[in-house]
């Protein structure tokens, strides 16, 4: 049973960092050991929006920091990719790397998320 990390992105986010999603990667050989190699070329992640057909992300994925954050990849979604409210599954399954994240495109800023108790829980788990 695999858990899927969740990341919130505000609909229409302008700043690239606010549209960037981070994906923990493991090796496809054992699905346990972190995958920490620099990808060759410009590989694209796959995205599925609200259960639709899988397609490549517009931008290529890359490793965040192989020294300080081993096993963490990132991909910047475009403004068009976060223009609609909904859910994405963004995944990588290439070159021996495997990982995925659930991306929720929301009206609320993930930095504030309103005053509800659920929003408070989300803020508690999000680095500031």
């Amino acid at each position: 049973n695999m858990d899927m990390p969740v990341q919130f992105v505000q609909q229409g986010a302008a700043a690239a960092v606010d549209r960037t999603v981070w994906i923990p990667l493991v090796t496809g050989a054992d699905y346990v050991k972190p995958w920490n190699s620099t990808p060759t070329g410009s590989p694209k992640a796959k995205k599925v929006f609200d259960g639709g057909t899988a397609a490549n992300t517009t931008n290529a994925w890359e490793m965040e920091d192989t020294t300080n954050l081993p096993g963490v990849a990132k991909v910047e979604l475009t403004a068009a990719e976060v223009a609609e409210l909904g859910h994405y599954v963004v995944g990588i399954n290439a070159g021996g790397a495997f990982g995925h994240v659930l991306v929720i495109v929301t009206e609320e800023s993930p930095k504030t998320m309103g005053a509800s108790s659920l929003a408070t829980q989300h803020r508690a788990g999000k680095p500031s």
Side-chain angles (χ1 to χ4, degrees), residues 8-94:
F8 293 88
V9 174
Q10 185 175 8
Q11 179 185 25
V17 68
D18 293 334
R19 297 188 316 268
T20 299
V21 296
W22 287 268
I23 305 169
L25 296 180
V26 293
T27 65
D30 64 9
Y31 300 103
V32 175
K33 182 181 174 190
W35 190 85
N36 200 39
S37 299
T38 302
T40 56
S42 297
K44 306 292 175 105
K46 293 290 185 186
K47 63 181 181 181
V48 175
F49 185 72
D50 282 346
T53 303
N56 286 336
T57 53
T58 302
N59 295 316
W61 63 273
E62 59 187 32
M63 297 305 289
E64 173 64 28
D65 179 340
T66 57
T67 302
N68 297 305
L69 294 170
V72 178
K74 66 180 178 180
V75 62
E76 178 191 325
L77 299 176
T78 64
E81 289 171 321
V82 299
E84 293 184 49
L85 298 176
H87 301 80
Y88 274 110
V89 173
V90 179
I92 296 170
N93 186 8

